[in-house]
Amino acid sequence: MKKLFFILILAVVNSNYLQAQGQNNLWLMGYQNYNPLPWGATNIDFLSNFPNVYFEPNRVMEIQITSVSVADSIGNLLFYSNGAWIANRKNQLMVNGDSLNPSYYTTISYQTGLRLIGSHIAVKMPSNDSLYYLIHQTDDFANATHDDKCYYSIINMKADSGYGAVIEKNHVFLVDSMANCMSICKHGNGRDWWIIIPQLNHSNYYIYLLTPYGLTLSTIQNIGIRSISIGPGIFSRDGSLYASYDTYTDLEVFDFDRCTGSFSNARHVAINDSMFGGGNEISPNNRFIYASSGKRVYQFDVNNLQNYKTVAEWDSFYSPSPPFATLFLTQELMQDNKIYINTGNSTQYLHVINYPDSLGLACDLQQHSLQLPTYNSSSTPYFPNYSLGPVVGSICDSLSVGIKDNNVQSAELRLNPNPCHDNVWVNYLFPNNKDGWLEIYNSIGKLIIKRRMYWSSTQLLLYTSELSSGIFFVKLYDDSKMYISSGKLVKD
């Protein structure tokens, strides 16, 4: 039995890893900086665990900085965007994919795409294989230094003969001054997603939760110091660490609880460096944090953050000529366990950290070592960690109540009224002479109510005074785990 359990766990891990390899393998970036046409751009494919760089002659979308691309589990491109419009895999405008991010700034940037770092995230809707949520930000004005509105749009990949269509577009869910550094992390249940949006010039973080029932605000947490980051805040691969960096705030590091969606243990590192910059990444082993500061790259040891090291200084290289210096800006850790750093200028090169798990200069940062076929500014895409699974055995691993097999049947759960106010009738059926349990969880996976359920009855009147207004998840199962049901309860 232990051997079988180990094989099952190994199969799940490998399946998650392979799926992540496909979904975050493809970078669409850059532009061909000459006229007349033909146009074209740079693609980098990491599916084989090394960067396959090639020229894409059919792409007509120009990507200046804002870049989001989505592939399926085996690496085939599904859709992509530059923040102004969405293209399908045929390099054509997706159905209803025009007029994204309505604003004056988007209007004047429509031909070239937006220049907002870390402002777009695309992720599959939890428990749905065909719907994708696109979370996107824009600036109402023209300075492109921060965001004023946050939208979501929904894409159905079954529409238009499998080429996809935008079925909901430009729903505003947050209006505020926001830093260009959205980020996303898998919930501890292994299904839902936490979306983090820092408020500009404040120490507030809007923390949203994406579930099969939609996008909801979980909390606004005040922690650390003010944020004016340019570039996404970065989660470690296991979701336990969060780091952000810019040359005004310097380095901020928090611990993150994937069950509650909350930060703790704030650490700040002040750096005597006024150079423009704002990219960072965390090594695969969680020990080192790398930060780009224009002409320098710093390495921070999580065990001793204040004792940081300079692992690279700009070597005065230009591409193709001055003033296009190959400086250091946005970073991305890929599945080959190397970190790729953009130059922040319109150049044809990326820098590469070959051994980011190694201390100091042993990390082997090679400047302008990866040449691109076209010019590129700072269009390094930001990918969610699709392979991150549940926090097994924790209270937030609320989606499993035991190993399910083909014998599992529905307990025929029905809730009435729903939405409810003071009480709700729970109707169910356990036809196997086994008693069971009713569990009710809030939106962050915390168990709020647990009641014993008896097979000899088929209903229970539940008083809901313990519940605040909101959405709750209901789980019902008998002691044999043969009869299992789940649902959603709304309290007004």
Side-chain angles (χ1 to χ4, degrees), residues 121 123 133 135 150 173 182-185 193-197 205-210 215-217 219 235 256:
I121 296 172
V123 68
Y133 257 73
I135 311 296
C150 201
F173 69 91
M182 279 200 305
S183 51
I184 188 168
C185 184
W193 294 93
W194 297 110
I195 298 167
I196 313 298
I197 305 173
Y205 291 80
Y206 291 94
I207 302 176
Y208 284 83
L209 182 62
L210 178 62
L215 187 67
T216 57
L217 177 64
T219 189
F235 283 101
F256 185 68

Side-chain angles (χ1 to χ4, degrees), residues 67-81:
S67 173
V68 58
S69 58
V70 176
D72 62 19
S73 60
I74 58 174
N76 296 315
L77 178 66
L78 296 178
F79 63 90
Y80 58 98
S81 176

Side-chain angles (χ1 to χ4, degrees), residues 235-256:
F235 283 101
S236 59
R237 276 187 173 172
D238 67 355
S240 65
L241 282 179
Y242 174 91
S244 64
Y245 172 79
D246 62 52
T247 51
Y248 301 95
T249 306
D250 295 326
L251 182 71
E252 288 266 86
V253 182
F254 307 142
D255 292 341
F256 185 68

Side-chain angles (χ1 to χ4, degrees), residues 308-330:
Y308 59 87
K309 302 177 183 299
T310 301
V311 294
E313 298 231 20
W314 176 55
D315 62 2
S316 301
F317 187 82
Y318 293 91
S319 168
S321 59
F324 301 105
T326 55
L327 302 179
F328 306 101
L329 194 61
T330 54

Side-chain angles (χ1 to χ4, degrees), residues 183-427:
S183 51
I184 188 168
C185 184
K186 185 74 71 70
H187 188 286
N189 63 19
R191 181 195 66 187
D192 303 331
W193 294 93
W194 297 110
I195 298 167
I196 313 298
I197 305 173
Q199 186 180 14
L200 186 70
N201 292 329
H202 289 274
S203 53
N204 289 333
Y205 291 80
Y206 291 94
I207 302 176
Y208 284 83
L209 182 62
L210 178 62
T211 74
Y213 307 106
L215 187 67
T216 57
L217 177 64
S218 174
T219 189
I220 302 173
Q221 183 175 1
N222 184 280
I223 189 171
I225 61 177
R226 68 192 183 105
S227 174
I228 53 176
S229 295
I230 51 169
I234 297 298
F235 283 101
S236 59
R237 276 187 173 172
D238 67 355
S240 65
L241 282 179
Y242 174 91
S244 64
Y245 172 79
D246 62 52
T247 51
Y248 301 95
T249 306
D250 295 326
L251 182 71
E252 288 266 86
V253 182
F254 307 142
D255 292 341
F256 185 68
D257 188 327
R258 291 172 55 208
C259 293
T260 63
S262 58
F263 295 117
S264 62
N265 190 23
R267 289 92 86 194
H268 176 254
V269 182
I271 304 168
N272 184 22
D273 188 334
S274 60
M275 183 68 186
F276 175 82
N280 60 288
E281 187 56 273
I282 300 174
S283 64
N285 65 0
N286 284 14
R287 180 176 171 183
F288 300 112
I289 300 171
Y290 294 87
S292 301
S293 185
K295 291 185 177 181
R296 299 175 187 86
V297 175
Y298 298 109
Q299 182 194 70
F300 303 84
D301 190 333
V302 173
N303 297 325
N304 185 6
L305 287 170
Q306 302 299 328
N307 186 24
Y308 59 87
K309 302 177 183 299
T310 301
V311 294
E313 298 231 20
W314 176 55
D315 62 2
S316 301
F317 187 82
Y318 293 91
S319 168
S321 59
F324 301 105
T326 55
L327 302 179
F328 306 101
L329 194 61
T330 54
Q331 305 185 19
E332 182 80 17
L333 173 66
M334 293 305 293
Q335 54 261 44
D336 60 358
N337 289 330
K338 298 182 179 182
I339 295 175
Y340 294 82
I341 307 176
N342 223 303
T343 66
N345 274 321
S346 186
T347 74
Q348 287 186 263
Y349 289 91
L350 297 179
H351 313 292
V352 182
I353 303 178
N354 287 303
Y355 308 107
D357 285 339
S358 298
L359 177 65
L361 296 179
C363 73
D364 189 32
L365 192 158
Q366 295 294 319
Q367 299 190 42
H368 46 83
S369 58
L370 186 63
Q371 185 169 6
L372 310 177
T374 65
Y375 294 106
N376 159 74
S377 183
S378 303
S379 53
T380 309
Y382 172 67
F383 294 110
N385 183 2
Y386 299 100
S387 65
L388 190 56
V391 182
V392 178
S394 71
I395 192 171
C396 68
D397 185 17
S398 57
L399 300 180
S400 60
V401 293
I403 298 175
K404 299 181 181 181
D405 57 33
N406 293 332
N407 293 321
V408 171
Q409 302 176 52
S410 172
E412 300 182 17
L413 173 67
R414 289 179 290 116
L415 304 168
N416 184 46
N418 192 9
C420 68
H421 184 63
D422 296 319
N423 53 64
V424 60
W425 282 100
V426 180
N427 297 276

Side-chain angles (χ1 to χ4, degrees), residues 102-122:
S103 71
Y104 171 71
Y105 172 64
T106 303
T107 300
I108 65 174
S109 306
Y110 201 83
Q111 296 301 318
T112 60
L114 306 189
R115 299 181 63 85
L116 299 171
I117 297 175
S119 61
H120 284 57
I121 296 172

